[in-house]
Amino acid sequence: MAMGSGVPRATVKDVAALAGVSPKTVSNVVGGTVFVKPETRERVEAAMAELDYVPNLSARGLRNGRTGVVALALPDLGTAYSADLTRHFVQHAHRRGYAVQIEETGGEPSREYSLISKARSHLIDGVVLNPVRLEDSAVEHADRLPPAVLIGEVEQDRADQVRIDSTAAARQMTEHLIERGARRIAALGAPGPGLDTSTSRQRLQGYREALAAAGLPADRDLEMPCDDWTISAGADGTAALLDAGTAVDAVFGFTDSLALGALSALSARGVRVPADVLVAGFDDVEAARFAVPPLTTIGFSREAFAGAALDLLLERIEDRGGERRVVEVPTELIARASTAS
């Protein structure tokens, strides 16, 4: 029963009646700061969707001094990973009655400072940031943080955080390639002068740990930096390895985009995957499943990741003095044809 033109706007009471709960429970679901059983939340959210219920953010703001707007800031909005994460974050926020301001920081602290300033000035209620390196981040240099949650692999002790264990996941993927017979594994996207991030450092660490555990030497010629983590950069990096005559029997792209670029470069040189060279990625973006051959990768639930970030942020908005919390989202190795024996 969608509320179209000329039809009275649905109220909290309408949603409560359809979901079979109290109006207070509906308000708790919308506010996001009080625990509601998952099955109850699902009923309320389904009723909100059926009735096309839109929370009155301005009225809520007048009551509690909040805007009903949170910000999500990512380094590069052009990647498939960022698009997927943003989509899930916006969906979670809208279900909770929040609007989302999307920003691209490009790894520039000045843009992070701007968002932190907006949160301090109550122009937004809080911010989710994805710094590429803590030493360059506004979070590291801010004396006083507004409600903020960090996502990604930066190691810090100042703000709530949602992360994955990139080191362990990279170690697991490298072990997988070794088990498939690879001995000369290129690390595509290793830290370098053009791009040196917390994520690249941790994935390189996991890669090196797996080599050491298998008794394989860490060859710096196999650690290929890329100026960015795009498909074109992955293709260029792989071509540079081949042009240098570096012996390679596997390529581990530190993102799926890099690995997809590697597939393209190898195909252009007549190198067969997986017969001649194994290829693996990280992130499990949609294109990984449809690559030729389908790409082995590290996957994790972007929906759970985005939901955890929003939950932590709303809790921090409600309770500025609570203990810092860190949520680690589990990863899994997804084996596909690009690393088949």
Side-chain angles (χ1 to χ4, degrees), residues 247-269:
V248 173
D249 55 17
V251 177
F252 176 17
F254 283 0
T255 67
D256 285 345
S257 292
L258 292 170
L260 291 170
L263 287 177
S264 176
L266 292 168
S267 176
R269 303 296 182 92

Side-chain angles (χ1 to χ4, degrees), residues 1 3 39 69 108 118 143 154 184 197 251 281 294:
M1 185 175 67
M3 296 295 168
E39 56 270 24
V69 179
E108 296 182 18
K118 285 183 178 181
D143 296 329
V154 293
R184 299 278 300 170
T197 68
V251 177

